[in-house]
Each structure stands twice: as structure tokens, then as C-alpha cells.
Amino acid sequence: MKLFFSTVMGLMLFANASAQQIQLDSLDAQIHQLIKDFDIPGLSIGVVRNDSLLFSKGYGNLELHKKDKVDENTIFGIGSISKSFTALTLGILVDEGKIDWDDKVKTYLPYFELYAPYVTDNFTIRDVLTHRSGLKDVSGGTLWYHSDYSREEIIKRLKYLEPVSGFREKPAYQNVMYVVASEIVKTVSGTSWDNFVKTRVFDPLKMDNTTSLSAEREANSNLAQPHIWNEDYEKVAIEQEKGDNLAPGGFIYSSSNDMSNYMRLLLNNGVIGNDTIVSASIIDEIFKPQIIYPIMGPPFNNEFTSYGFGWWLTPKNGHKIIEHSGGIDGMAANLVMIKDMNLGFVILTNEGEEPATFLLTAKILEKLLDDKSYDLYSRIKNWRDANLKEHKESPLTIAKTPKTKPSLKIQQYAGKYSDRMYGDILIDNTEGGGLEISFSHSAVFKGKLEHWHYDTFKIDWDDIRVPDGFLTFNFNAKREILGFSIDQENLLDVDFGELNILKNKN
């Protein structure tokens, strides 16, 4: 394949006054090639430098097999880039002297409780933002994923999560802690976090198409639809996840134009136009390494990679790379800034299972930093094609032991089960003599159970977003059902292994 950017467009960026001119050429042609190679329905990109929008454009379609086109104002889910907005809202309150980064969470949320009294009593706002709770990576996903739990109810159930390391011992990425952060904003400001981020950030930045509320997002006709692979590994559109309960950690929707304004604010130390949104000292603190946290290998991260407040920070070739990716069902995003170059770019796509944002980011950084270590396109493309072929030809499953029977009659497995963190999970008899599972607070987790072998059943979930899994009933010595466990591919934060599902005795 030809080099990712060849000379056509003449879009020019400069690292600094004395640096070599860097060309990001033929952006149109090469993004079209990326879309073709990785079957991307739609993509939008924005590039800013020196408080100016250099480039913002949409490619492809809002939805496969539909005619509506993506443009620079099309809104996509930005996923975990949402965390940086939540950190900024807290920064505004710090700037106003209403809170301090090292204030205890319990001061503002008396109902906040974690796995140990010492941790609960000493947990600070800084801890909330820097992933050092001692919990496992992306813990508590079943509490928010397609659930009807409110933010406050999610927080009240965090006390049931088990730690895997000591408090502040090492980082492990969390989404639910940014829900905690948003409720602090609500308590201190006297208004919802959604209203606060809109009136104090979105509106002043003229981010008119950006929202944290699913109702506003669904009312926007220029909304990209998410896409995933179905069971036959074909791209299909799916429903948007509501996501309001996790908006502070992962469900803001925005456009490349709006996100470009956001980057201008951050690169210009809290000022946009003639308006100061937050002081430079707050921006400095947000972008300051708070905890060493390398999460990937080179070229994107190294042993000095750290986490600030909602941002990954990596020293590279004398520069400080400030970035965050985001992913939700059927959407992917990446935002990168190089502050000493006064430059940033954002990439938004409506496909969440392809490495498109990763590769486009790599190629832009390769050119900006003149660093061939970012030249990953062919390698990742070959890996992706081989991996996809393998999955199509050999779907992952559990080998079935033939000629086995369940220990009980099928109808005897029905009943009410529960996990103390999540709540009730029901197994009901169906009219056809089978079984059906449903999670009481998450409509997405409903499906038919098919006997597989012994006391293991295959779960055929109704929703295409949830791949098939397996459920195994557990017994005591009297052959009475104690509960069941689920062997299931993880979904975003959802790890059913966190659940201890027991059968209700009454």
C-alpha cells in the first residue's frame, strides 16, 4: 500500500517556528482508503492549531445502507473522552474556591461507601479522577450498562465491589468513579452535572450539538448510528445505548466541529476568544501527571506514561502527548493534543470494533513527530484480516459433551436469584417448556437458555449486542441449587465474574 498520506491537499502544520514543515497530505483520499480497508460506515475528523480550526470534515454515512451523509456537525459518542469534561467541571469549582482536589468524597456524598471504612473515609476527589481505588479494571459495569439505575443508586452499590489491590497501590481504570465525580458537582453547584457542563462548558464554547442527555441526542437528526458485527461478522446498525447514568464517564455525544472548540480551549489554557472558562493553573493541574499508568506498549505509551485528570500523558520525542480514547457500543473516538505544538486532532467513528481511530491517530503522529515507530498500518491490517477470518471459520464456543442430562427437571431451575450488588436476576419457565433469563434492571440482559451439557446452559441473548454465553448452576451436597455463574465475553465494563449469584431461599 502507498504511504498513508501522499502529496495532494497541502494541509500544513508546524511543530514550532524553527521546526521542519510537516505536511498532512491527501487526507481525503487516505481516509477513504481507511474506510474501505476496515469497513467503516462513517468518520469525522477535526484538526486545530493556534486557536484556529484547520480542518473539519465528515466521511461516509450516518448508517450503513442509508443515504444520509456524515459531516463536521454529525454527533458521535465520544466514550471515555467524556471523563475529561467531568474533570473540567470539578476544576471550575476548584477555581471558584468551592472545593479542593484533595477534599474527601464523604464531605459531599455522605452515602458514598467502598469496601473498607478506611478507604471510604479517606477517598478524595483526586482519587476519584485517577483510577487508584484498589478495585479491578472497569469494575461495576453491570450496574450501569443498559440499566435503569440512577447515578446515586450506582454509587450506593459500589460498597459491594471487591478490591484486587491496596488503596492507592496501583491504578486500575474505572468508569463508575466518574459518576461519583458528577454527583459531587451536583451537590456543590446545586444543579445537575448535565446542566452544569452544558451551561459552563458547552454553551460558552458554542458546542451547540454536544449533549450528555439521550433525549437531546435522539432529537438530533444528524446523529451517527452505531455499528457492530453480527454473528456472521457482517456490519449491522444497532440501537443507541441510553447511557444517561454513565454520561460523566462515557456518554457525551459530540461532533468534530464542537470537539475542535474544546481542544482550542484546552490548548489555550482555559481561554476561548475573549472568554476565560477556567484558569491556566487548573488546566496545568488537569494535565499534570498524577499517577504513573502505562496501559499499552510503544509507540503510543511508554514506561513514563501517566494519568492526569481524565487524560493519558506520554513523553515522546521531547513532546508531551495528551490524549484519550473512547469506546461505547458501536462507536469509537480518539482525541490527541501536543501542547507545545499548540495542535490537536479528534477522530470520531460509528464503528466500535475496528482499529480505525487507532491507525489514523498513529499515522498523523508519525508525520507530526517524524517517527516511523508509528507506522503500523500494514501490520495491523494484516492482523485484523487474519483475526477476522479465524473468528468466521472457528467461532469461539465451549465444546459440548454429548449424551448428558441436567440434574433436575428443566422447570426446577426456574426461580428468583440475586446478587447483592446488582439485585434480582430471574429464571422463568417458558410456554414451550424451556427457560428464560432476565436481569431485573437491565432489559438488554434477557435471553433463552438451551441445555448444553450437565448443568450448563447456553444463553442465547435476545439483543444482538450481547454475544452468546454459558450459565452453570451450582449445587450443595443435597443437590439443591445454590445459584449459578455466567461464562460470558465481557461487554465494555460488564464482567459477570464479579457477580455472586445466589438463589433466593423464599
Side-chain angles (χ1 to χ4, degrees):
M1 184 179 176
K2 291 183 179 180
L3 195 62
F4 202 90
F5 297 92
S6 58
T7 305
V8 175
M9 284 185 58
L11 171 61
M12 310 295 185
L13 306 177
F14 297 84
N16 54 53
S18 60
Q20 179 183 359
Q21 179 173 294
I22 300 172
Q23 294 182 333
L24 300 184
D25 308 328
S26 192
L27 201 54
D28 272 322
Q30 298 305 328
I31 289 177
H32 281 299
Q33 186 67 50
L34 179 81
I35 288 172
K36 179 181 177 182
D37 285 345
F38 293 94
D39 193 19
I40 304 302
L43 180 150
S44 190
I45 182 171
V47 183
V48 301
R49 190 184 190 284
N50 289 340
D51 201 27
S52 297
L53 178 63
L54 292 184
F55 187 77
S56 185
K57 189 173 180 180
Y59 301 80
N61 300 86
L62 300 182
E63 183 177 342
L64 276 175
H65 314 304
K66 300 260 179 98
K67 64 180 182 178
D68 295 323
K69 298 295 184 182
V70 172
D71 61 30
E72 65 276 13
N73 293 310
T74 298
I75 62 171
F76 295 77
I78 66 170
S80 285
I81 303 171
S82 305
K83 291 178 174 63
S84 65
F85 285 94
T86 301
L88 183 61
T89 59
L90 287 167
I92 291 171
L93 294 174
V94 172
D95 219 15
E96 294 175 346
K98 295 178 180 178
I99 63 171
D100 185 85
W101 297 115
D102 295 303
D103 283 348
K104 305 292 175 56
V105 173
K106 287 279 285 186
T107 302
Y108 305 104
L109 306 180
Y111 57 85
F112 175 77
E113 186 177 351
L114 290 180
Y115 51 85
Y118 175 83
V119 177
T120 298
D121 293 340
N122 290 278
F123 213 78
T124 67
I125 294 173
R126 193 179 301 272
D127 295 321
V128 164
L129 299 176
T130 53
H131 308 299
R132 56 190 194 184
S133 64
L135 298 173
K136 67 182 288 295
D137 273 317
V138 291
S139 204
T142 49
L143 290 175
W144 65 262
Y145 185 74
H146 289 272
S147 84
D148 58 15
Y149 281 130
S150 67
R151 293 171 192 168
E152 182 175 330
E153 187 61 34
I154 289 171
I155 295 169
K156 287 179 177 179
R157 291 174 177 269
L158 298 182
K159 62 185 177 182
Y160 298 115
L161 294 171
E162 297 291 337
V164 295
S165 68
F167 175 40
R168 297 177 183 157
E169 181 181 306
K170 62 181 182 180
Y173 192 80
Q174 302 297 324
N175 281 324
V176 289
M177 288 302 165
Y178 275 75
V179 177
V180 176
S182 72
E183 289 298 283
I184 295 173
V185 172
K186 176 182 177 182
T187 297
V188 175
S189 68
T191 188
S192 69
W193 171 83
D194 305 272
N195 185 60
F196 190 90
V197 73
K198 181 182 188 304
T199 57
R200 301 298 298 274
V201 181
F202 299 160
D203 289 350
L205 297 184
K206 295 182 173 54
M207 299 177 70
D208 299 330
N209 291 306
T210 301
T211 183
S212 62
L213 300 172
S214 60
E216 289 185 3
R217 169 233 302 168
E218 294 300 324
N220 191 325
S221 61
N222 197 358
L223 169 64
Q225 296 301 313
H227 296 78
I228 63 171
W229 284 317
N230 64 14
E231 292 181 351
D232 297 320
Y233 289 92
E234 299 168 334
K235 293 284 171 64
V236 293
I238 58 172
E239 292 181 17
Q240 307 276 356
E241 182 177 347
K242 192 173 182 182
D244 294 64
N245 56 5
L246 195 78
F251 275 90
I252 288 174
Y253 274 61
S254 189
S255 67
S256 61
N257 259 4
D258 282 6
M259 292 300 289
S260 294
N261 285 347
Y262 182 48
M263 289 188 289
R264 288 171 55 209
L265 173 82
L266 297 172
L267 290 168
N268 202 33
N269 296 315
V271 177
I272 189 161
N274 296 318
D275 295 329
T276 299
I277 307 302
V278 70
S279 68
S281 63
I282 295 297
I283 298 296
D284 288 343
E285 189 69 20
I286 286 172
F287 288 158
K288 186 173 79 176
Q290 303 287 335
I291 186 169
I292 296 296
Y293 195 178
I295 56 165
M296 294 189 301
F300 286 97
N301 301 95
N302 56 45
E303 61 185 320
F304 302 108
T305 294
S306 60
Y307 202 81
F309 292 153
W311 294 102
W312 302 105
L313 312 166
T314 300
K316 182 76 171 182
N317 300 355
H319 304 285
K320 180 179 178 180
I321 310 298
I322 303 167
E323 56 90 17
H324 215 292
S325 60
I328 57 175
D329 284 347
M331 297 272 193
N334 207 18
L335 189 155
V336 179
M337 293 175 290
I338 308 175
K339 209 159 189 299
D340 62 283
M341 291 184 177
N342 207 13
L343 182 148
F345 58 91
V346 64
I347 304 162
L348 308 170
T349 67
N350 58 349
E351 206 293 333
E353 296 174 319
E354 299 280 12
T357 56
F358 171 86
L359 285 175
L360 188 51
T361 295
K363 186 50 65 176
I364 293 174
L365 288 175
E366 177 191 348
K367 290 299 180 180
L368 288 173
L369 304 180
D370 192 21
D371 187 339
K372 282 294 187 181
S373 69
Y374 288 101
D375 186 8
L376 306 169
Y377 196 94
S378 295
R379 192 189 334 162
I380 297 298
K381 174 69 165 59
N382 292 338
W383 171 86
R384 177 262 192 188
D385 290 346
N387 191 54
L388 185 56
K389 182 174 183 290
E390 180 182 349
H391 279 76
K392 286 180 177 180
E393 295 176 352
S394 304
L396 296 176
T397 189
I398 295 175
K400 187 174 186 177
T401 304
K403 299 180 181 179
T404 65
K405 295 181 179 181
S407 298
L408 305 174
K409 294 179 180 179
I410 291 296
Q411 59 266 31
Q412 291 179 280
Y413 291 93
K416 181 182 287 187
Y417 298 76
S418 64
D419 169 74
R420 65 176 186 165
M421 176 188 70
Y422 175 82
D424 291 339
I425 301 169
L426 306 178
I427 295 196
D428 295 314
N429 292 306
T430 65
E431 291 183 1
L435 296 171
E436 182 178 73
I437 184 173
S438 59
F439 281 55
S440 57
H441 295 278
S442 312
V444 71
F445 294 132
K446 182 177 181 180
K448 302 289 191 300
L449 300 184
E450 170 197 348
H451 181 252
W452 195 249
H453 56 203
Y454 304 109
D455 291 300
T456 295
F457 292 73
K458 185 177 180 181
I459 312 172
D460 180 11
W461 299 104
D462 295 346
D463 197 294
I464 191 174
R465 286 168 289 203
V466 190
D468 291 346
F470 292 88
L471 181 156
T472 301
F473 290 93
N474 310 312
F475 293 80
N476 62 17
K478 297 178 182 180
R479 301 306 295 160
E480 297 170 332
I481 297 176
L482 296 176
F484 62 82
S485 58
I486 296 176
D487 187 350
Q488 173 78 48
E489 180 182 336
N490 289 356
L491 298 155
L492 293 177
D493 289 18
V494 177
D495 178 1
F496 289 124
E498 285 189 317
L499 304 181
N500 181 26
I501 304 169
L502 302 176
K503 188 171 186 181
N504 291 12
K505 294 182 180 180
N506 49 11

